[in-house]
Amino acid sequence: RFAATRLEELAPVPARRAPLTDKKYLNQLFRERGLAVTELNNYLECPLRYFFVNLVRTIRAKTRQQMFGTAAHAALNDFFERFRAGERPGKKFLLARFRFHLGREPLDEASFAAAFEKGERALAGYVDWYRGQWPRAILNEYSLRGVLLGPVRLKGQIDKLEFMDSDRVVRV
């Protein structure tokens, strides 16, 4: 049995946060979260962008460029997972996966068509240029956690690691 409940009682209770001027809180937040490459690039481009987008995480919508990048990244990951498994996926597979992932993004028809055309040229050119140069020994989406660089904890994902012929050479 469910007791009748007022709508206000179902709403989540907002978490208590320190003010954004509290240096102790911000330092703790930075130490806990660590720093990914994208976040470092945001900081180098504009420290305020890093502060609001990455550290305090204000809400913002993805741009068309980010949607394109997300779809291209996912398609390449699918492609290289097949490749790593011993298959020989071609351009047709890569472009089909790009179309699939791009279709999951909230793009209008014109933006989708423009993004697909751009991606078709870029991804087909990538496959044509690098085909035959990829080693089979690869890792996709390698998680980087707990690496300390002085007081900064690095984190993130490495898109692809390629283990070259030598045991000591890895291409990132």
Side-chain angles (χ1 to χ4, degrees):
R1 282 178 97 132
F2 293 100
T5 307
R6 292 186 354 191
L7 185 58
E8 295 83 24
E9 293 173 355
L10 297 175
V13 177
R16 296 187 141 239
R17 298 254 193 256
L20 297 182
T21 55
D22 184 340
K23 289 183 181 181
K24 184 177 178 182
Y25 168 73
L26 294 173
N27 282 327
Q28 176 187 349
L29 197 57
F30 176 75
R31 282 191 301 277
E32 287 173 1
R33 294 226 174 110
L35 190 64
V37 172
T38 301
E39 295 166 344
L40 175 60
N41 286 337
N42 285 343
Y43 176 81
L44 294 173
E45 183 180 314
C46 175
L48 282 175
R49 177 180 176 166
Y50 165 78
F51 180 81
F52 286 107
V53 171
N54 303 114
L55 189 61
V56 297
R57 297 182 179 170
T58 55
I59 297 173
R60 64 188 194 131
K62 282 169 76 172
T63 65
R64 284 192 309 253
Q65 293 84 356
Q66 288 171 321
M67 290 183 232
F68 174 88
T70 297
H73 180 94
L76 285 165
N77 186 60
D78 293 348
F79 179 88
F80 282 109
E81 281 299 312
R82 288 272 179 102
F83 181 80
R84 186 171 72 99
E87 296 179 32
R88 294 188 178 272
K91 278 190 279 191
K92 186 176 180 181
F93 173 80
L94 179 59
L95 295 176
R97 296 309 297 164
F98 179 64
R99 179 181 292 279
F100 169 78
H101 289 294
L102 194 61
R104 299 180 77 186
E105 298 293 338
L107 293 166
D108 60 62
E109 285 184 41
S111 296
F112 177 90
F116 185 76
E117 183 181 325
K118 178 181 176 183
E120 189 173 36
R121 282 191 317 271
L123 294 171
Y126 174 79
V127 169
D128 288 342
W129 184 265
Y130 289 105
R131 182 175 302 286
Q133 298 180 41
W134 301 305
R136 288 272 176 201
I138 61 175
L139 283 177
N140 292 318
E141 301 299 326
Y142 181 77
S143 290
L144 184 66
R145 303 222 188 296
V147 176
L148 294 175
L149 184 61
V152 179
R153 186 174 55 88
L154 300 177
K155 65 172 187 174
Q157 298 272 118
I158 297 175
D159 294 337
K160 183 173 67 153
L161 294 172
E162 297 179 344
F163 299 93
M164 307 313 282
D165 293 335
S166 166
D167 290 341
R168 305 188 121 183
V169 178
V170 177
R171 185 168 48 197
V172 178

